[in-house]
Amino acid sequence: MGINRNNNFRNLTINDKANYWPYGGTFFSSPTGRFSDGLLVPDFLAMKLKIPLWKPYLASGGEHEFLHGAKFAGGGSAALGDLGIPGRKVATVLKQSLGDMEAKKLLMEAVYAFSIGTNDYASFAKTYPFANATKQQEYVHMVIGKLTDVIKEIYKIGGRKFAMHNVGPWGCMPRLRQYFGLSNNKCHDGLLTIARMHNDALSNAAMEIESQLAGFKYLIFDVYNSALIRIERFKESIIAYRGNNCGIEPYELCSNPNDHIFFHGAHPTEHCYKQMARLIWEGGPNVTKPYNMKQLFALEVKDIEN
Ligand SMILES: *[C@@H]1O[C@H](CO)[C@@H](O)[C@H](O)[C@H]1NC(C)=O
Ligand SMILES: *[C@@H]1O[C@H](CO)[C@@H](O)[C@H](O)[C@H]1NC(C)=O
Ligand SMILES: *[C@@H]1O[C@H](CO)[C@@H](O)[C@H](O)[C@H]1NC(C)=O
């Protein structure tokens, strides 16, 4: 597969690239820039859609590649700051290659998937470890405001279908449990609280956008509860990796990352991503609502315009 994330095409430090062993070990024979042992949720979703795995936007050679979509995450992503890659050009390229009508239809039928939040709250918690509830709420408002602006911008270009997930139970990340000196099956309450603040605000924002923009359709996948259930089930054995940062000696890797939720201190295993992808794709309304992704893709544009 070779190097396959946008960050590998950017001038960043090695910590932002995930292009070294043991990243990639389970699925790929070499690291690809994915912060895991193998495939990530978008890879599994591409498989469900029976299309080639998305290539990074910055690597796309031929314009026809955008017919199956484009991937903008830079290894990670965030609403605020500079982790993502701007991509307005895709619509222009599609219009040039397909003509206005076809391009419009494609942009309308496409699903625009966002995976943001944790990095935003991680940088906030680092900068303001003692923020009170008011300040936290202000920050949540900024993150959701930025996401809302971006959704509205994509809507203007023709986008109608949006897939999002809420912020996961990041206060349970092994790296943070270690940092805060929590015993193995405890999570950090403060970090879970700000995640829940975000998650409430996200549901409200989505419903508000729905009331403002005709034909706007969305799903929110509840990764918070879906992952928390699994973390609680696994308890001590949630992590496949013992060491500090991935790949930095000395470390020890369990023989079967598939038995664990986290690959290393901050990122899940391929096994976990596969389960999450299945839930997003075909999960019931207790995990993804008001649609799952299969249903969202199946909505017809004519239904949407009505
Ligand atoms: C990459 O970043 C380094 C450190 O910030 C800088 O010294 C170097 O000139 C940059 N290279 C390019 C090609 O932008
Ligand atoms: C919360 O923190 C902000 C500044 O960080 C401060 O201005 C404000 O007074 C605090 N609010 C309460 C209720 O303590
Ligand atoms: C959703 O429902 C299924 C089946 O009833 C259950 O197994 C699962 O734990 C639920 N998930 C969440 C996140 O509540």
Side-chain angles (χ1 to χ4, degrees), residues 270-304:
E270 171 183 283
H271 181 69
C272 178
Y273 283 133
K274 186 176 187 176
Q275 294 187 3
M276 295 299 129
R278 188 178 56 76
L279 292 175
I280 297 171
W281 181 252
E282 62 193 14
N286 71 334
V287 289
T288 171
K289 63 185 175 190
Y291 302 103
N292 60 34
M293 202 174 263
K294 195 175 174 183
Q295 295 164 333
L296 191 64
F297 267 102
L299 290 176
E300 299 221 11
V301 174
K302 67 171 169 31
D303 298 335
I304 289 175

Side-chain angles (χ1 to χ4, degrees), residues 107-123:
L107 290 167
M108 221 175 220
E109 285 173 345
V111 168
Y112 300 82
F114 294 82
S115 177
I116 57 113
T118 308
N119 288 327
D120 291 296
Y121 294 104
S123 54

Side-chain angles (χ1 to χ4, degrees), residues 27-43:
F27 183 82
F28 303 100
S29 53
S30 57
T32 62
R34 289 168 171 80
F35 282 100
S36 184
D37 56 316
L39 299 170
L40 310 182
V41 168
D43 299 315

Side-chain angles (χ1 to χ4, degrees), residues 194-240:
I194 197 165
R196 286 195 303 267
M197 278 179 170
H198 171 95
N199 296 347
D200 289 345
L202 178 66
S203 305
N204 292 337
M207 286 187 282
E208 196 178 323
I209 299 170
E210 188 181 30
S211 74
Q212 294 167 348
L213 305 180
F216 169 81
K217 303 285 174 190
Y218 72 96
L219 70 82
I220 296 176
F221 167 58
D222 183 9
V223 67
Y224 183 94
N225 286 303
S226 302
L228 198 58
I229 288 173
R230 288 169 171 76
I231 287 169
E232 282 166 357
R233 206 182 290 150
F234 275 71
K235 296 214 163 67
E236 274 79 20
S237 64
I238 61 168
I239 187 167

Side-chain angles (χ1 to χ4, degrees), residues 15-267:
N15 288 339
D16 294 318
K17 291 194 176 178
N19 57 359
Y20 48 90
W21 186 259
Y23 285 123
T26 298
F27 183 82
F28 303 100
S29 53
S30 57
T32 62
R34 289 168 171 80
F35 282 100
S36 184
D37 56 316
L39 299 170
L40 310 182
V41 168
D43 299 315
F44 287 112
L45 293 176
M47 289 174 175
K48 306 253 187 224
L49 289 162
K50 301 186 173 61
I51 61 174
L53 302 192
W54 286 293
K55 292 210 175 121
Y57 171 73
L58 293 179
S60 294
E63 40 218 48
H64 62 277
E65 287 181 14
F66 291 148
L67 291 180
H68 289 308
K71 185 167 77 179
F72 296 101
S77 60
L80 308 173
D82 175 38
L83 277 171
I85 320 282
R88 272 187 213 88
K89 236 179 63 200
V90 171
T92 313
V93 168
L94 287 174
K95 279 179 187 156
Q96 281 162 0
S97 55
L98 297 175
D100 280 4
M101 287 302 287
E102 272 300 301
K104 189 179 165 214
K105 185 163 177 286
L106 191 65
L107 290 167
M108 221 175 220
E109 285 173 345
V111 168
Y112 300 82
F114 294 82
S115 177
I116 57 113
T118 308
N119 288 327
D120 291 296
Y121 294 104
S123 54
F124 176 74
K126 218 187 238 174
T127 317
Y128 303 104
F130 304 109
N132 60 27
T134 314
K135 190 156 178 87
Q136 289 178 336
Q137 204 55 263
E138 277 170 19
Y139 189 77
V140 167
H141 191 73
M142 270 168 61
V143 171
I144 298 290
K146 181 65 195 278
L147 179 63
T148 304
D149 289 349
V150 170
I151 288 175
K152 289 183 174 175
E153 224 177 288
I154 295 174
Y155 180 90
K156 265 191 224 151
I157 301 170
R160 292 296 178 268
K161 304 179 182 182
F162 295 82
M164 296 169 267
H165 62 72
N166 61 15
V167 168
W170 68 301
C172 305
M173 272 183 195
R175 179 186 285 173
L176 294 173
R177 287 173 168 187
Q178 188 184 19
Y179 178 81
F180 290 106
L182 302 171
S183 74
N184 238 352
N185 50 12
K186 285 229 167 56
C187 301
H188 189 281
D189 285 337
L191 303 183
L192 293 183
T193 303
I194 197 165
R196 286 195 303 267
M197 278 179 170
H198 171 95
N199 296 347
D200 289 345
L202 178 66
S203 305
N204 292 337
M207 286 187 282
E208 196 178 323
I209 299 170
E210 188 181 30
S211 74
Q212 294 167 348
L213 305 180
F216 169 81
K217 303 285 174 190
Y218 72 96
L219 70 82
I220 296 176
F221 167 58
D222 183 9
V223 67
Y224 183 94
N225 286 303
S226 302
L228 198 58
I229 288 173
R230 288 169 171 76
I231 287 169
E232 282 166 357
R233 206 182 290 150
F234 275 71
K235 296 214 163 67
E236 274 79 20
S237 64
I238 61 168
I239 187 167
Y241 183 94
R242 309 222 171 274
N244 292 315
N245 284 320
C246 194
I248 296 174
E249 303 279 358
Y251 66 81
E252 187 191 321
L253 192 60
C254 296
S255 53
N256 190 3
N258 283 347
D259 291 340
H260 305 272
I261 303 204
F262 283 93
F263 176 56
H264 67 119
H267 291 96

